[in-house]
Amino acid sequence: MYQLVLRKTFVASLALALGGGIVFVLLQLAGIILGNAPLLTAPNSVFKTVLCICASIASIAAYLLLHAGSTPRKYAQENAPK
């Protein structure tokens, strides 16, 4: 059950982080092309913070998906009933 929640959390936060990153870069590119300084600096406030939080949630969820609830093979083989 928790792995399903973690997987959905990982996918959603990763999609938000990647999509937001693309928008972030495109806004800065538009600011460079148009020579508009506020367009360059505007995404660095709250938008950048939200992207960092989404990326952090994705990384924590990925770590937990890989390591939480899994038993290492060597440990499982050593403690398996014979």
Side-chain angles (χ1 to χ4, degrees), residues 3 6-7 16 24 27 36 42 44-45 52 56 62 73 75 77 81-82:
Q3 285 188 342
L6 281 174
R7 183 168 290 131
L16 285 173
F24 185 81
L27 282 173
N36 189 350
N44 286 331
S45 58
C52 290
S56 298
R73 284 187 186 166
Y75 177 79
Q77 289 173 353
K82 297 177 182 173

Side-chain angles (χ1 to χ4, degrees), residues 7-80:
R7 183 168 290 131
K8 289 185 184 282
T9 302
F10 170 71
V11 170
S13 60
L14 183 66
L16 285 173
L18 291 176
I22 291 170
V23 171
F24 185 81
V25 170
L26 290 176
L27 282 173
Q28 288 191 329
L29 180 65
I32 290 171
I33 291 172
L34 299 174
N36 189 350
L39 194 56
L40 272 172
T41 58
N44 286 331
S45 58
V46 175
F47 188 63
K48 186 170 146 184
T49 305
V50 171
L51 288 179
C52 290
I53 291 170
C54 287
S56 298
I57 291 171
S59 65
I60 292 168
Y63 177 82
L64 290 174
L65 277 172
L66 287 175
H67 298 289
S70 63
T71 306
R73 284 187 186 166
K74 186 176 181 182
Y75 177 79
Q77 289 173 353
E78 289 175 356
N79 295 324

